[in-house]
Amino acid sequence: MLVAGIKSRPVYGGLDIDTHAKRHLFALEGEGALALIDQVKAAGPDFLRTADVLYVASGSKAEDHDRKLEKLGADTLWVAPTIPVLLNRFNVMLGQAKMGTRIYVAGTEGFIGQAMQVALNHGVDFNSIRTEHRGSEARRVQCVHCKGITDNVTTSPYTCSHCG
């Protein structure tokens, strides 16, 4: 399903916690931390005993999301300095994941896309990854004419900065 106004912008279903999962693996970027915090408020903290949380503050408006995540009491919390470092750790953890692990990704559209690609490379079904968009609406676009890439686009349609 796509958002009205920008035909190619996906709608993300949210992080709804799978109570039957044996393990939970979260990849969170910036305001994506709030998606997990909201789920703890809604579902209770019990699932966190079997949760691994990877977090990077990239693009976050608040400086204390990592402290809020730490207070939740997840089995493991790992705070990465950059998105590439987080994605590398996510890749390693997916390589070690066992059957019954549920994957959750929250953050900006670009981050969600990158993290989903890592999971897809491990053979994870696209539809089994729970995602939630949080943070900036800006996105990366590619011109259909010249194939030029432009970052931080917030309008639709957008006049290509490469070919006009």
Side-chain angles (χ1 to χ4, degrees):
M1 179 185 278
L2 301 175
V3 174
I6 299 179
K7 294 178 182 179
S8 64
R9 186 180 300 277
V11 174
Y12 301 101
L15 293 192
D16 296 325
I17 302 304
D18 180 353
T19 58
H20 300 293
K22 292 181 180 178
R23 193 97 190 137
H24 306 274
L25 176 56
F26 293 88
L28 308 172
E29 176 225 14
E31 307 305 318
L34 299 175
L36 175 56
I37 292 167
D38 289 348
Q39 284 302 309
V40 171
K41 290 176 186 173
D46 290 347
F47 71 92
L48 290 171
R49 288 184 298 216
T50 58
D52 298 305
V53 179
L54 307 179
Y55 175 70
V56 62
S58 175
S60 178
K61 295 175 187 171
E63 296 179 12
D64 63 344
H65 289 326
D66 55 344
R67 287 189 291 276
K68 290 178 183 176
L69 289 171
E70 188 173 352
K71 287 179 183 178
L72 294 178
D75 185 30
T76 62
L77 168 64
W78 188 73
V79 179
T82 64
I83 290 174
V85 172
L86 182 141
L87 293 174
N88 184 54
R89 178 72 165 248
F90 188 51
N91 183 48
V92 170
M93 292 186 80
L94 285 170
Q96 299 170 349
K98 305 265 189 269
M99 185 66 84
T101 299
R102 174 64 73 184
I103 300 165
Y104 308 85
V105 179
T108 61
E109 187 174 329
F111 175 76
I112 292 171
Q114 291 175 74
M116 287 192 68
Q117 187 59 56
V118 171
L120 294 172
N121 289 344
H122 283 274
V124 176
D125 178 49
F126 177 87
N127 294 312
S128 70
I129 304 168
R130 302 208 173 163
T131 57
E132 186 168 330
H133 181 265
R134 293 284 181 115
S136 173
E137 294 288 322
R139 62 197 317 226
R140 170 180 265 200
V141 296
Q142 181 179 28
C143 179
V144 297
H145 303 285
C146 74
K147 305 300 180 204
I149 302 287
T150 305
D151 288 312
N152 299 316
V153 175
T154 57
T155 60
S156 180
Y158 176 75
T159 302
C160 178
S161 59
H162 300 275
C163 71

